[in-house]
Amino acid sequence: FTSTSRLSIAETESISGKSFQADPIKHKARVLDNFKPSIRGNENFDAEELTSRLYDAIQNEDEVIGVMVMNSSEQRQIIASKYKTDYRQLLETEISANFSSNFK
């Protein structure tokens, strides 16, 4: 391999014994496919109702887990923000205060 070599974008090269596709668009698509979220958003997401459920059940570990796992990360962030606004407390602090460190 020399620095003056020119390869078309679709050609495959071998450097250090490793083959790779020289097409950056295909590479990006392949990488993004590997980083899709595994938890899909809750189609019936209602931040008001879920925040209220969490507040009422903050000492019930099963109920808190049930609410948290049925929502995507983005939805959980919305719930946490609404919890802080409605109850003037951080949801993370409430969970930490009520559950063992294994829950975190």
Side-chain angles (χ1 to χ4, degrees):
F1 182 76
T2 65
S3 61
T4 59
S5 296
R6 290 274 194 210
L7 298 172
S8 73
I9 198 155
E11 285 182 301
T12 301
E13 304 179 296
S14 179
I15 299 175
S16 303
K18 296 180 182 177
S19 294
F20 68 94
Q21 188 70 27
D23 186 346
I25 295 170
K26 288 181 183 178
H27 172 73
K28 183 176 181 180
R30 194 171 58 248
V31 169
L32 291 177
D33 265 355
N34 291 328
F35 293 103
K36 289 183 179 175
S38 60
I39 298 176
R40 304 284 182 222
N42 179 358
E43 293 178 11
N44 301 316
F45 179 73
D46 179 358
E48 184 75 33
E49 189 255 329
L50 294 172
T51 302
S52 177
R53 274 179 59 191
L54 279 173
Y55 183 77
D56 293 341
I58 197 63
Q59 297 196 9
N60 180 337
E61 188 171 333
D62 290 334
E63 181 71 17
V64 172
I65 291 171
V67 170
M68 299 308 271
V69 301
M70 68 185 229
N71 296 290
S72 68
S73 176
E74 182 179 341
Q75 290 171 332
R76 289 191 302 268
Q77 291 171 11
I78 292 168
I79 292 168
S81 177
K82 181 138 186 62
Y83 194 95
K84 182 179 178 185
T85 301
D86 291 357
Y87 304 110
R88 303 203 190 291
Q89 298 169 339
L90 292 175
L91 181 57
E92 296 87 358
T93 303
E94 292 295 297
I95 290 172
S96 294
N98 288 292
F99 303 115
S100 69
S101 61
N102 292 335
F103 187 84
K104 300 174 195 173

